[in-house]
Amino acid sequence: MMIPPMSADTCKQVILLVDDTPANIHVAQSILKDEYMIRIATSGAKALELVKTEPIPALVLLDIEMPGMDGYEVCHHLKASANTRNIPVIFLTGKTEADDETRGFREGAVDYIHKPFSPAVMKARVHTHLVLREAREKLAQQLLMINNELEMARQIQLSILPRETPKIEGLDVAARYVPMSSVAGDFYDFIIVDKRHVGILIADVSGHGLPAALIASMLQVAFAAQRTHASEPGAVLSGLNQALCGKFRNDFRHGGIRIRGHGKEFYKLRCSGTPTAPAVV
């Protein structure tokens, strides 16, 4: 089956032109028709109907002075709807008073084009606001992607924290984890030595965000590998040093790791840079 080729108009962005004066419509359409698909409404009510038609307009050129529903009211309705509030609105007007323009911006318009229309000015302003809209949409998509990835990283980081505190004879252990950001370099873990002794690790990687979280994840893996000599804090720290120190550049400034054995001395490992404040255990 032959698929008909797409017409040139199909590839063009749609602009909704709202004006009740045929002469203004003719001039604006003649200026923009070669680059855009023009959809015309001659009243505010018709504009609110056509703006919902697919493909949704990329921009609205809106006359202010119209019978019935004026341009300010139309703009207010557009900005009140979640489906149309992101469509840029440029007012078409013969008014040049500051109060009139201020009201338009207050209603949500992004710009003004004054009558009589200058072809160069109209083309430039339409193009500028279409480019700005595309840039905002790309930034919004990128931000959404980043937030989704951060949430995934947060869930992964939470999953490496101990699911429960150890049950040690003569010792009550409780933990609360409240990161400053969605992902962070704070971390804790336990090594069970025997029924009466536990090793407690409290780590604070300098900085926040993904770099610190990645280092904390590496720390958890390295710490788990030290369980065979959990009763020897010095050996645990030495193993962590061998696994971690010298591995990081630029983003990693310093980090403190603490281990405590119940009934044993308090030990501290300094990976690099300045020491962190003493932990309370």
Side-chain angles (χ1 to χ4, degrees):
M1 182 177 66
M2 294 291 293
I3 300 176
M6 296 178 65
S7 67
D9 285 346
T10 306
C11 301
K12 293 179 179 178
Q13 291 178 292
V14 175
I15 291 178
L16 177 59
L17 173 60
V18 187
D19 201 309
D20 65 319
T21 305
N24 292 335
I25 293 174
H26 175 75
V27 172
Q29 189 173 24
S30 65
I31 293 172
L32 300 172
K33 66 180 181 179
D34 291 339
E35 298 178 53
Y36 309 100
M37 184 188 303
I38 309 301
R39 188 179 297 166
I40 297 172
T42 55
S43 68
K46 189 64 175 179
L48 295 179
E49 177 185 335
L50 291 181
V51 78
K52 302 174 185 177
T53 304
E54 295 289 344
I56 300 298
L59 182 142
V60 176
L61 294 174
L62 180 57
D63 186 29
I64 293 178
E65 294 182 314
M66 296 184 294
M69 187 184 302
D70 66 14
Y72 296 126
E73 188 176 354
V74 174
C75 187
H76 179 79
H77 283 290
L78 292 175
K79 297 306 172 181
S81 171
N83 295 326
T84 57
R85 65 167 57 112
N86 292 325
I87 301 176
V89 175
I90 298 178
F91 276 131
L92 307 176
T93 182
K95 297 182 177 181
T96 58
E97 291 79 5
D99 289 345
D100 293 320
E101 293 195 1
T102 300
R103 181 182 176 187
F105 289 129
R106 191 164 56 243
E107 291 293 348
V110 296
D111 208 343
Y112 274 84
I113 297 176
H114 293 102
K115 303 174 184 178
F117 302 138
S118 161
V121 169
M122 177 171 279
K123 287 182 178 181
R125 294 192 176 181
V126 167
H127 175 74
T128 295
H129 289 291
L130 288 175
V131 170
L132 288 174
R133 181 187 181 182
E134 183 179 358
R136 285 194 299 269
E137 289 176 346
K138 286 183 178 180
L139 285 174
Q141 292 172 358
Q142 292 171 354
L143 181 60
L144 178 61
M145 185 182 301
I146 290 172
N147 286 336
N148 289 339
E149 291 177 352
L150 283 175
E151 175 59 22
M152 186 181 300
R154 187 182 75 87
Q155 295 295 336
I156 292 173
Q157 187 174 35
L158 290 176
S159 71
I160 70 174
L161 293 174
R163 296 183 181 274
E164 57 184 11
T165 57
K167 304 297 187 292
I168 301 298
E169 184 179 337
L171 181 66
D172 292 326
V173 180
R176 187 183 182 202
Y177 180 76
V178 185
M180 290 185 63
S181 55
S182 56
V183 290
D186 305 313
F187 178 73
Y188 69 91
D189 204 352
F190 308 103
I191 289 183
I192 305 299
V193 178
D194 53 41
K195 292 182 179 181
R196 293 183 54 82
H197 299 89
V198 59
I200 302 174
L201 175 143
I202 301 174
D204 181 14
V205 180
S206 176
H208 305 287
L210 286 174
L214 288 172
I215 293 172
S217 298
M218 294 176 64
L219 170 62
Q220 193 273 344
V221 174
F223 187 62
Q226 312 305 316
R227 297 186 185 278
T228 54
H229 41 268
S231 61
E232 304 174 30
V236 173
L237 295 177
S238 177
L240 291 177
N241 250 332
Q242 293 177 11
L244 298 178
C245 285
K247 297 291 193 300
F248 312 113
R249 299 290 185 272
N250 299 327
D251 291 329
F252 182 62
R253 298 178 184 175
H254 67 268
I257 301 171
R258 277 109 175 143
I259 294 182
R260 180 172 182 128
H262 182 48
K264 293 183 177 290
E265 185 181 353
F266 189 90
Y267 292 84
K268 177 174 76 174
L269 164 69
R270 187 182 308 157
C271 289
S272 65
T274 57
T276 57
V280 178
V281 181

PDB file of all heavy atoms in Angstrom, residues 168-171 193-198 262-263:
ATOM      1  N   ILE A 168      21.415  -7.558  70.376  1.00  0.00           N
ATOM      2  CA  ILE A 168      22.614  -7.866  71.160  1.00  0.00           C
ATOM      3  C   ILE A 168      22.240  -7.896  72.636  1.00  0.00           C
ATOM      4  O   ILE A 168      21.570  -6.987  73.147  1.00  0.00           O
ATOM      5  CB  ILE A 168      23.717  -6.825  70.918  1.00  0.00           C
ATOM      6  CG1 ILE A 168      24.090  -6.780  69.432  1.00  0.00           C
ATOM      7  CG2 ILE A 168      24.946  -7.111  71.763  1.00  0.00           C
ATOM      8  CD1 ILE A 168      24.656  -8.063  68.887  1.00  0.00           C
ATOM      9  N   GLU A 169      22.686  -8.924  73.321  1.00  0.00           N
ATOM     10  CA  GLU A 169      22.400  -9.075  74.751  1.00  0.00           C
ATOM     11  C   GLU A 169      22.982  -7.899  75.538  1.00  0.00           C
ATOM     12  O   GLU A 169      24.161  -7.573  75.430  1.00  0.00           O
ATOM     13  CB  GLU A 169      23.007 -10.391  75.250  1.00  0.00           C
ATOM     14  CG  GLU A 169      22.686 -10.698  76.699  1.00  0.00           C
ATOM     15  CD  GLU A 169      23.283 -12.018  77.131  1.00  0.00           C
ATOM     16  OE1 GLU A 169      23.549 -12.873  76.255  1.00  0.00           O
ATOM     17  OE2 GLU A 169      23.502 -12.197  78.345  1.00  0.00           O
ATOM     18  N   GLY A 170      22.131  -7.224  76.294  1.00  0.00           N
ATOM     19  CA  GLY A 170      22.566  -6.107  77.121  1.00  0.00           C
ATOM     20  C   GLY A 170      22.722  -4.796  76.370  1.00  0.00           C
ATOM     21  O   GLY A 170      23.237  -3.823  76.928  1.00  0.00           O
ATOM     22  N   LEU A 171      22.279  -4.728  75.092  1.00  0.00           N
ATOM     23  CA  LEU A 171      22.459  -3.517  74.306  1.00  0.00           C
ATOM     24  C   LEU A 171      21.221  -3.261  73.445  1.00  0.00           C
ATOM     25  O   LEU A 171      20.784  -4.142  72.712  1.00  0.00           O
ATOM     26  CB  LEU A 171      23.695  -3.645  73.404  1.00  0.00           C
ATOM     27  CG  LEU A 171      24.036  -2.429  72.529  1.00  0.00           C
ATOM     28  CD1 LEU A 171      24.446  -1.254  73.395  1.00  0.00           C
ATOM     29  CD2 LEU A 171      25.156  -2.795  71.550  1.00  0.00           C
ATOM     30  N   VAL A 193      29.547  -9.402  65.730  1.00  0.00           N
ATOM     31  CA  VAL A 193      30.749 -10.136  66.128  1.00  0.00           C
ATOM     32  C   VAL A 193      30.360 -11.447  66.799  1.00  0.00           C
ATOM     33  O   VAL A 193      30.785 -12.525  66.401  1.00  0.00           O
ATOM     34  CB  VAL A 193      31.607  -9.275  67.079  1.00  0.00           C
ATOM     35  CG1 VAL A 193      32.842 -10.051  67.531  1.00  0.00           C
ATOM     36  CG2 VAL A 193      32.014  -7.970  66.382  1.00  0.00           C
ATOM     37  N   ASP A 194      29.534 -11.358  67.834  1.00  0.00           N
ATOM     38  CA  ASP A 194      28.988 -12.536  68.501  1.00  0.00           C
ATOM     39  C   ASP A 194      27.726 -12.086  69.222  1.00  0.00           C
ATOM     40  O   ASP A 194      27.220 -10.995  68.979  1.00  0.00           O
ATOM     41  CB  ASP A 194      30.015 -13.173  69.462  1.00  0.00           C
ATOM     42  CG  ASP A 194      30.589 -12.165  70.453  1.00  0.00           C
ATOM     43  OD1 ASP A 194      29.819 -11.323  70.970  1.00  0.00           O
ATOM     44  OD2 ASP A 194      31.807 -12.201  70.711  1.00  0.00           O
ATOM     45  N   LYS A 195      27.198 -12.899  70.119  1.00  0.00           N
ATOM     46  CA  LYS A 195      25.934 -12.585  70.774  1.00  0.00           C
ATOM     47  C   LYS A 195      26.005 -11.344  71.656  1.00  0.00           C
ATOM     48  O   LYS A 195      24.986 -10.757  71.992  1.00  0.00           O
ATOM     49  CB  LYS A 195      25.482 -13.781  71.615  1.00  0.00           C
ATOM     50  CG  LYS A 195      25.078 -14.990  70.784  1.00  0.00           C
ATOM     51  CD  LYS A 195      24.596 -16.117  71.677  1.00  0.00           C
ATOM     52  CE  LYS A 195      24.158 -17.329  70.847  1.00  0.00           C
ATOM     53  NZ  LYS A 195      23.660 -18.424  71.709  1.00  0.00           N
ATOM     54  N   ARG A 196      27.235 -10.949  72.066  1.00  0.00           N
ATOM     55  CA  ARG A 196      27.376  -9.812  72.981  1.00  0.00           C
ATOM     56  C   ARG A 196      28.121  -8.626  72.367  1.00  0.00           C
ATOM     57  O   ARG A 196      28.288  -7.614  73.029  1.00  0.00           O
ATOM     58  CB  ARG A 196      28.100 -10.258  74.252  1.00  0.00           C
ATOM     59  CG  ARG A 196      27.310 -11.224  75.104  1.00  0.00           C
ATOM     60  CD  ARG A 196      28.065 -11.562  76.390  1.00  0.00           C
ATOM     61  NE  ARG A 196      28.448 -10.357  77.127  1.00  0.00           N
ATOM     62  CZ  ARG A 196      27.635  -9.692  77.948  1.00  0.00           C
ATOM     63  NH1 ARG A 196      26.387 -10.107  78.123  1.00  0.00           N
ATOM     64  NH2 ARG A 196      28.052  -8.604  78.594  1.00  0.00           N
ATOM     65  N   HIS A 197      28.563  -8.757  71.140  1.00  0.00           N
ATOM     66  CA  HIS A 197      29.360  -7.683  70.547  1.00  0.00           C
ATOM     67  C   HIS A 197      28.902  -7.384  69.121  1.00  0.00           C
ATOM     68  O   HIS A 197      28.549  -8.301  68.368  1.00  0.00           O
ATOM     69  CB  HIS A 197      30.848  -8.053  70.526  1.00  0.00           C
ATOM     70  CG  HIS A 197      31.423  -8.285  71.885  1.00  0.00           C
ATOM     71  ND1 HIS A 197      31.402  -9.522  72.503  1.00  0.00           N
ATOM     72  CD2 HIS A 197      32.023  -7.430  72.755  1.00  0.00           C
ATOM     73  CE1 HIS A 197      31.970  -9.430  73.696  1.00  0.00           C
ATOM     74  NE2 HIS A 197      32.355  -8.163  73.871  1.00  0.00           N
ATOM     75  N   VAL A 198      28.937  -6.096  68.786  1.00  0.00           N
ATOM     76  CA  VAL A 198      28.545  -5.662  67.448  1.00  0.00           C
ATOM     77  C   VAL A 198      29.469  -4.525  67.010  1.00  0.00           C
ATOM     78  O   VAL A 198      29.852  -3.671  67.811  1.00  0.00           O
ATOM     79  CB  VAL A 198      27.069  -5.180  67.420  1.00  0.00           C
ATOM     80  CG1 VAL A 198      26.840  -4.016  68.376  1.00  0.00           C
ATOM     81  CG2 VAL A 198      26.659  -4.775  66.001  1.00  0.00           C
ATOM     82  N   HIS A 262      31.030  -3.275  70.996  1.00  0.00           N
ATOM     83  CA  HIS A 262      30.462  -3.189  72.339  1.00  0.00           C
ATOM     84  C   HIS A 262      31.497  -3.665  73.353  1.00  0.00           C
ATOM     85  O   HIS A 262      31.965  -4.798  73.296  1.00  0.00           O
ATOM     86  CB  HIS A 262      29.207  -4.054  72.425  1.00  0.00           C
ATOM     87  CG  HIS A 262      28.525  -3.996  73.764  1.00  0.00           C
ATOM     88  ND1 HIS A 262      28.262  -2.802  74.400  1.00  0.00           N
ATOM     89  CD2 HIS A 262      28.083  -4.979  74.576  1.00  0.00           C
ATOM     90  CE1 HIS A 262      27.656  -3.064  75.547  1.00  0.00           C
ATOM     91  NE2 HIS A 262      27.538  -4.379  75.682  1.00  0.00           N
ATOM     92  N   GLY A 263      31.888  -2.779  74.251  1.00  0.00           N
ATOM     93  CA  GLY A 263      32.885  -3.131  75.249  1.00  0.00           C
ATOM     94  C   GLY A 263      34.302  -2.937  74.760  1.00  0.00           C
ATOM     95  O   GLY A 263      35.245  -3.251  75.474  1.00  0.00           O
TER      96      GLY A 263
END
